[in-house]
């Protein structure tokens, strides 16, 4: 029997990643509440050993296995080194994680992950944990949160694009990039371009030209051109804007994630032609409305034929 078959039935969920302060825990709480209102059984799993003040209950907490303060005190490590040690310790104790996750079968699982960028760009421990989850029949999508205030600074936005691309290539999961805290973006300053320029990551040469107007960045124009060239060559990075207080915004993110991890195509919810077409075309496909229009069209055609026969 394979390791995957021992994992049990399929379970769907999200691994919520991103830099510190991007709103990962807030997102997990808001998305959990949103999905519960839709009738899903949701379980929150805290994989951040530095998260000591959880805003609500969670089904599983890594603090039962290891905590960052204990590691720092015992081994004399700093916050970054301590987090890396904690993730390596979690990887080494994968059996503990599998046993604790077993009762959560049948739930939609939200994994709240640490905020250290290195864990998602080049370190292997958390990537290996995600790979183990896949072997245990967890169908996951990585939700990468980025604070929307970076859009107001072209230099920082290029950095965010590079980080997002590195994360997508390293984590090796279906991926959804999210611009969080959209309700606060106006407080950070005026955007140089329309919002869709940043969410769709359109022609970045305009961003380089905008940077060149700054005397400091003018000397780094060639470097910026090479960086945006790499981003455009891969053509992978785009963003979904998110305001956790707006239901429509939450729904758009949910639909994007459901398509990424395959939940839209599963047997548990809305397995119908309407749901499949909605996921395929990226918009609501109202199958019943289409049938109604088609029926009216057929009826009008039949009536026209009848009238022609009567005239004969």
């Amino acid at each position: 029997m394979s390791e995957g078959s021992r994992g049990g039935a399929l379970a769907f969920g999200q691994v919520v990643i991103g830099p510190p302060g991007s709103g990962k825990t807030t997102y997990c709480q808001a998305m959990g509440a949103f999905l519960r209102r839709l009738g899903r059984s949701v379980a929150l799993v805290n994989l951040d050993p530095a998260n000591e003040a959880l805003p609500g209950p969670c089904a599983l907490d890594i603090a039962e296995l290891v905590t960052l303060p204990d590691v720092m005190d015992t081994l004399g490590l700093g916050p970054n080194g301590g987090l890396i040690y904690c993730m390596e310790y979690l990887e080494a104790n994968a059996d503990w994680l599998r046993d604790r996750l077993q009762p959560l079968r049948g739930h939609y699982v939200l994994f709240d992950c640490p905020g250290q960028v290195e864990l998602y760009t080049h370190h292997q421990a958390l990537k290996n944990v995600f790979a183990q989850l896949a072997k245990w029949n967890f169908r996951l999508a990585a939700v990468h949160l980025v604070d929307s205030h970076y859009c107001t600074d072209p230099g920082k936005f290029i950095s965010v694009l590079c980080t997002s691309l590195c994360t997508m290539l390293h984590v090796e999961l279906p991926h959804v990039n999210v611009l969080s805290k959209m309700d606060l973006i106006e407080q950070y300053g005026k955007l140089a371009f329309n919002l869709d320029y940043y969410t769709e990551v359109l022609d970045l040469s305009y961003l380089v030209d905008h940077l060149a107007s700054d005397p400091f960045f003018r000397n780094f124009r060639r470097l910026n051109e090479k960086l945006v060239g790499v981003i455009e060559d891969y053509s992978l990075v785009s963003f979904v804007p998110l305001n956790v207080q707006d239901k429509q915004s939450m729904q758009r993110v949910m639909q994007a994630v459901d398509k990424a991890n395959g939940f839209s195509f599963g047997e548990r919810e809305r397995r119908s032609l309407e749901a499949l077409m909605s996921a395929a075309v990226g918009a609501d496909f109202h199958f019943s409305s289409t049938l109604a229009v088609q029926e009216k069209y057929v009826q009008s055609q039949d009536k026209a034929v009848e009238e022609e026969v009567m005239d004969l």
Side-chain angles (χ1 to χ4, degrees):
M1 184 180 293
S2 67
E3 186 176 357
S5 62
R6 291 197 303 267
L10 282 179
F12 292 90
Q14 309 175 20
V15 291
V16 184
I17 61 180
S22 57
K24 296 184 294 298
T25 300
T26 300
Y27 169 86
C28 287
Q29 295 291 329
M31 182 57 72
F34 184 78
L35 294 176
R36 289 189 188 97
R37 287 196 293 269
L38 296 178
R40 300 190 195 181
S41 297
V42 180
L44 269 62
V45 174
N46 177 43
L47 291 184
D48 185 359
N51 198 347
E52 297 179 307
L54 296 173
C58 58
L60 173 60
D61 190 351
I62 193 177
E64 301 173 16
L65 177 70
V66 63
T67 65
L68 180 61
D70 289 343
V71 169
M72 294 173 61
D73 293 341
T74 304
L75 301 179
L77 296 173
N80 292 338
L83 269 175
I84 290 177
Y85 178 89
C86 290
M87 293 301 101
E88 292 175 345
Y89 192 77
L90 176 63
E91 179 189 4
N93 290 272
D95 291 342
W96 173 89
L97 182 61
R98 182 181 58 190
D99 294 341
R100 296 300 191 279
L101 289 174
Q102 196 62 36
L104 303 183
R105 294 289 173 178
H107 290 73
Y108 188 96
V109 187
L110 298 173
F111 294 89
D112 187 1
C113 299
Q116 188 173 358
V117 175
E118 294 90 335
L119 294 172
Y120 313 116
T121 56
H122 59 272
H123 196 264
Q124 297 293 322
L126 205 52
K127 172 186 175 181
N128 294 337
V129 171
F130 296 157
Q132 282 293 335
L133 291 171
K135 292 180 181 178
W136 300 334
N137 284 337
F138 280 88
R139 297 296 178 260
L140 303 173
V143 179
H144 182 229
L145 298 183
V146 174
D147 198 318
S148 60
H149 86 266
Y150 290 118
C151 295
T152 60
D153 188 320
K156 290 181 179 178
F157 187 66
I158 291 179
S159 176
V160 162
L161 292 173
C162 293
T163 302
S164 299
L165 178 60
C166 289
T167 302
M168 296 177 75
L169 297 176
H170 181 73
V171 172
E172 296 181 349
L173 282 177
H175 206 95
V176 177
N177 292 305
V178 174
L179 283 176
S180 63
K181 306 179 184 178
M182 288 302 300
D183 53 318
L184 303 177
I185 191 170
E186 294 181 356
Q187 300 180 12
Y188 300 128
K190 186 178 180 180
L191 298 179
F193 307 99
N194 292 332
L195 182 61
D196 60 348
Y197 178 87
Y198 300 93
T199 57
E200 300 300 325
V201 189
L202 302 176
D203 188 353
L204 295 178
S205 62
Y206 294 106
L207 202 63
V208 175
D209 292 338
H210 186 72
L211 273 174
S213 62
D214 188 319
F216 176 79
F217 288 104
R218 190 175 302 145
N219 298 327
F220 301 97
R221 183 183 180 93
R222 289 187 61 190
L223 174 61
N224 290 326
E225 288 175 344
K226 296 296 183 182
L227 289 175
V228 301
V230 171
I231 296 165
E232 291 180 329
D233 287 344
Y234 276 96
S235 189
L236 291 175
V237 183
S238 63
F239 295 94
V240 181
L242 172 65
N243 173 7
V244 296
Q245 299 177 353
D246 181 62
K247 292 181 180 179
Q248 291 184 343
S249 177
M250 293 289 289
Q251 183 181 9
R252 284 192 293 268
V253 173
M254 180 201 71
Q255 290 174 338
V257 176
D258 283 352
K259 286 187 289 184
N261 63 16
F263 187 88
S264 293
F265 306 95
E267 297 180 354
R268 294 185 182 179
E269 181 177 291
R270 302 176 309 164
R271 189 172 188 181
S272 63
L273 181 58
E274 180 178 353
L276 295 176
M277 290 301 296
S278 296
V281 303
D284 291 331
F285 182 83
H286 299 291
F287 185 58
S288 57
S289 301
T290 305
L291 285 179
V293 172
Q294 183 179 7
E295 185 178 357
K296 290 180 180 179
Y297 176 76
V298 171
Q299 289 176 350
S300 64
Q301 290 293 97
D302 291 342
K303 185 176 180 180
V305 171
E306 291 176 1
E307 290 175 352
E308 289 180 3
V309 172
M310 291 297 292
D311 292 339
L312 294 175

